[in-house]
Amino acid sequence: MTVKPSRLDLPICDAFLAAAGEAGFPLVDDLNTDVAEGFGRIDTNIADGRRASTALAYAQPARRRGNLELLAEAVATRIVIERGQARGVEILRRGARETIWAEREIILCGGTVNSPQLLMLSGIGPADHLSSLGIPVVLDAPEVGRNLQNHPSYALRYACSQPVTAYKYLNPLAVVGVGLRYALTAGGSLAESYVATGGYMRSDPSLEVSDTIVIMIPALVTRGGVGFRLADLFPERHGFTIMAGSGRPRSRGHILLRSADPTAHPRIFPEYFSEPEDLRALARSVLRLREMMRGSAIRNLIEAELAPGAIGNGEASIEQDIRVRAATFFHPSGTCRMGSDPTAVVDPRLGVNGIQGLRVADASIMPAALNACTHAPTIMIGEKAAAMIGDEA
């Protein structure tokens, strides 16, 4: 995995960090160290102008070793369990069902949504829920699909009075220039992440560690969801966006099956802000960020606050707007909780409690939400799982 700090060269990035320092936040060189609170350049996984994804860094090199086979167009439909032992995986591939038998064990890496889904389709989960769908209960495991966590987020958007943001790249001459540079050198702005700066902050100064994730996007980008248009990715003027995310939420959601059909999407109940303190904490952080944007280091670059805009600076007003406009950082975790207690879904070696020969190794095993992006921690889970499996070989 290639790890390097962002080098996106835009004045608004430096101004944002200067504003954070002026507001009293520590400015740090490495956000991956033990930072209780601070701002800086965000590390990225980019190599030779391309994102160094796990597919590029792990899967592709492993295919050359000859002991990895990837099956395309295949859907795992059920784990075959006999007398408490995971024996194989039933898949649906190009309209036909087949079973792949395991020689040693099965490692489930479906992620926070699909791992509990496959466990429940296999009869491992809340007995009453499985029985209601006609799925034979292999193991009554009430916590499968529970403990769902995520990082709900809220956007502050600012228009800029000067050409200091990524909007300058949409100038026709600039488009040609950055395109040629990338084509010839795999460098320049096209070889950087659009998220360059950010950090971690406390919603309440009395907290020991931060509970809010902050990222600054150096453009006014309309975040697209289902059915988004390509045009939504491009700004219409100079400006920037600050995303504040609830990093340590207390709220917990859950996932249930929609039916016994393995191709049907499961039902997801996020339950954001079901614990009122999550909403209050995020609102307090938004207030701190608004105040930060009034500092002398950045205010001369800001023409107007577009969002929340005319809304007053009281917690109640911000809380109401969060309820209307909240989004998410897309960091779900927790639905196959790891723990040493008997109700945990997996044990500290990631083995599914009550089933032999079956592990889960993905973000679903995280017991509690991390005040961090889940990308690197999830890779760590895979690395740790591989090391443990290797030790047992």
Side-chain angles (χ1 to χ4, degrees), residues 168-232:
K168 72 175 188 177
Y169 298 136
L170 295 186
N171 177 286
L173 288 178
V175 169
V176 173
V178 297
L180 280 175
R181 183 178 178 185
Y182 183 76
L184 295 173
T185 68
S189 57
L190 287 181
E192 295 290 333
S193 168
Y194 69 91
V195 177
T197 56
Y200 306 98
M201 62 183 290
R202 299 176 174 95
S203 63
D204 185 330
S206 67
L207 295 175
E208 283 190 27
V209 294
S210 58
D211 64 341
T212 306
I213 305 171
V214 180
I215 63 171
M216 193 277 281
I217 303 170
L220 287 172
V221 177
T222 301
R223 190 163 195 144
V226 175
F228 78 95
R229 304 166 302 161
L230 186 61
D232 293 334

Side-chain angles (χ1 to χ4, degrees), residues 105-129:
E105 63 178 328
I106 296 163
I107 301 96
L108 176 55
C109 306
T112 298
V113 174
N114 294 119
S115 283
Q117 178 191 25
L118 188 59
L119 289 177
M120 287 187 280
L121 288 168
S122 308
I124 303 169
D128 54 349
H129 174 55

Side-chain angles (χ1 to χ4, degrees), residues 23-143:
F25 295 104
L27 299 182
V28 298
D29 292 330
D30 186 357
L31 287 170
N32 290 318
T33 57
D34 191 12
V35 177
E37 188 174 52
F39 287 78
R41 288 271 174 172
I42 292 176
D43 282 341
T44 60
N45 297 122
I46 297 175
D48 299 323
R50 297 181 63 195
R51 178 168 184 172
S53 66
T54 51
L56 290 174
Y58 289 86
Q60 287 192 12
R63 293 185 73 181
R64 295 193 289 268
R65 293 203 297 261
N67 63 348
L68 172 65
E69 182 179 358
L70 300 180
L71 299 182
E73 301 178 45
V75 176
T77 61
R78 182 174 67 96
I79 299 167
V80 179
I81 300 169
E82 298 175 352
R83 295 182 295 278
Q85 175 84 29
R87 298 294 185 184
V89 177
E90 183 184 90
I91 67 171
L92 181 63
R93 190 182 186 205
R94 296 169 183 165
R97 290 185 181 271
E98 56 184 287
T99 301
I100 300 172
W101 299 101
E103 293 183 3
R104 287 180 52 195
E105 63 178 328
I106 296 163
I107 301 96
L108 176 55
C109 306
T112 298
V113 174
N114 294 119
S115 283
Q117 178 191 25
L118 188 59
L119 289 177
M120 287 187 280
L121 288 168
S122 308
I124 303 169
D128 54 349
H129 174 55
L130 302 183
S131 297
S132 70
L133 298 175
I135 298 173
V137 178
V138 172
L139 177 68
D140 182 14
E143 282 216 24

Side-chain angles (χ1 to χ4, degrees), residues 112-333:
T112 298
V113 174
N114 294 119
S115 283
Q117 178 191 25
L118 188 59
L119 289 177
M120 287 187 280
L121 288 168
S122 308
I124 303 169
D128 54 349
H129 174 55
L130 302 183
S131 297
S132 70
L133 298 175
I135 298 173
V137 178
V138 172
L139 177 68
D140 182 14
E143 282 216 24
V144 171
R146 309 297 299 185
N147 196 46
L148 173 62
Q149 307 148 49
N150 205 336
H151 292 148
S153 63
Y154 177 80
L156 296 92
R157 304 174 79 240
Y158 294 88
C160 286
S161 56
Q162 300 179 40
V164 293
T165 74
Y167 182 66
K168 72 175 188 177
Y169 298 136
L170 295 186
N171 177 286
L173 288 178
V175 169
V176 173
V178 297
L180 280 175
R181 183 178 178 185
Y182 183 76
L184 295 173
T185 68
S189 57
L190 287 181
E192 295 290 333
S193 168
Y194 69 91
V195 177
T197 56
Y200 306 98
M201 62 183 290
R202 299 176 174 95
S203 63
D204 185 330
S206 67
L207 295 175
E208 283 190 27
V209 294
S210 58
D211 64 341
T212 306
I213 305 171
V214 180
I215 63 171
M216 193 277 281
I217 303 170
L220 287 172
V221 177
T222 301
R223 190 163 195 144
V226 175
F228 78 95
R229 304 166 302 161
L230 186 61
D232 293 334
L233 301 178
F234 296 98
E236 297 180 352
R237 61 181 296 184
H238 277 288
F240 63 97
T241 306
I242 301 174
M243 300 292 297
S246 178
R248 300 184 188 276
R250 303 179 184 185
S251 302
R252 295 291 185 268
H254 61 281
I255 291 175
L256 295 173
L257 295 178
R258 191 173 300 276
S259 71
D261 179 2
T263 65
H265 295 307
R267 302 172 67 197
I268 303 173
F269 302 86
E271 304 293 350
Y272 299 136
F273 308 124
S274 55
E275 291 287 339
E277 178 55 26
D278 291 346
L279 182 60
R280 289 193 289 264
L282 186 54
R284 289 195 298 267
S285 292
V286 169
L287 292 176
R288 293 190 75 188
L289 289 168
R290 289 183 98 184
E291 185 62 30
M292 189 171 104
M293 291 301 99
R294 295 186 180 98
S296 61
I298 199 170
R299 67 181 176 222
N300 290 337
L301 300 178
I302 295 175
E303 181 179 308
E305 183 188 72
L306 303 179
I311 292 175
N313 218 30
E315 276 190 41
S317 300
I318 296 297
E319 287 177 14
Q320 178 59 31
D321 201 49
I322 290 173
R323 287 191 176 278
V324 173
R325 296 198 303 111
T328 171
F329 277 156
F330 302 102
H331 295 160
S333 65

